Amino acid sequence: MIDAANITAVLLAAGQSRRFGADDKLLAPLADEPLALHAARRIAELAPGRRIAVCSNGDGTLAAMLSGLGFDIAVNADATSGLSQSLALGIAAAARGPELAALVCLADMPFVGTRHLQSLLARFDPVSAPVVASSDGETAMPPALFDRALFDRLRASEGDRGGKALLSDAALVMASAGELADIDRPDDLRRN
């Protein structure tokens, strides 16, 4: 178990959203507020030691909203380089602080609740469970918690796979049905 004060939460919010169309999906409305703010608010409720959001533009609307919720902004100006670039930037920012682990969340997963995030922290152990991932019963996925000893490996990942290689040995925490759904297309907003 790790206390929330001893982690950095990293919110990845710099994707290209190609399947969503021309609009910025992270600013698309879901239940009367921008999609990305749902994940950001659950992180804020968790009260981690630090909050970092990786955005494609440090001066944009999304960065301003997230900054208003207490997130430090790391900029990934080259979103075409894939998820791993955003992950590397977020983990590099996390490594500059004293926190013992990083909780990596995706801004397009608006249904993950604070209770699930707390369950990830409760399952964490730096020796027996240095990686704790969410699961839908079939797959290990974000949100995921990584011990500080793994930061260098996370920063070295490439492409769109992010920290997936490390998730293969993760301790798993089951999420409730639909909680790990992500938003990829405009129709996904209408279904939820």
Side-chain angles (χ1 to χ4, degrees):
M1 177 172 193
I2 188 168
D3 189 87
N6 292 323
I7 69 159
T8 297
V10 177
L11 181 65
L12 302 183
Q16 287 188 293
S17 309
R18 284 185 219 131
R19 291 178 283 181
F20 199 79
D23 296 332
D24 183 342
K25 79 172 175 180
L26 297 180
L27 294 175
L30 176 68
D32 298 325
E33 76 174 351
L35 172 65
L37 291 189
H38 292 270
R41 289 190 195 288
R42 299 307 78 76
I43 290 169
E45 290 169 5
L46 185 66
R50 284 192 309 143
R51 300 173 211 161
I52 297 165
V54 181
C55 298
S56 59
N57 179 349
D59 297 320
T61 302
L62 180 59
M65 287 181 196
L66 294 173
S67 184
L69 287 175
F71 284 81
D72 295 327
I73 305 300
V75 177
N76 179 2
D78 183 15
T80 62
S81 59
L83 178 69
S84 293
Q85 176 70 18
S86 289
L87 179 61
L89 289 166
I91 294 298
R96 290 190 284 275
E99 289 79 17
L100 304 175
L103 175 66
V104 177
C105 301
L106 304 182
D108 67 353
M109 294 178 76
F111 309 114
V112 176
T114 306
R115 181 174 288 152
H116 180 71
L117 298 178
Q118 291 167 333
S119 295
L120 295 170
L121 272 60
R123 179 65 181 89
F124 177 82
D125 182 274
V127 176
S128 64
V131 179
V132 181
S134 302
S135 179
D136 59 1
E138 297 177 17
T139 308
M141 63 181 73
L145 184 63
F146 299 91
D147 185 77
R148 182 180 196 89
L150 299 169
F151 284 7
D152 286 343
R153 288 181 60 192
L154 287 168
R155 287 194 305 236
S157 62
E158 296 179 350
D160 257 344
R161 295 197 41 83
K164 288 235 184 217
L166 291 173
L167 296 184
S168 62
D169 294 324
L172 301 178
V173 174
M174 291 296 297
S176 61
E179 193 170 12
L180 300 178
D182 64 347
I183 304 297
D184 287 326
R185 295 174 177 82
D187 286 347
D188 296 338
L189 288 170
R190 291 186 277 280
R191 277 193 292 246
N192 294 297

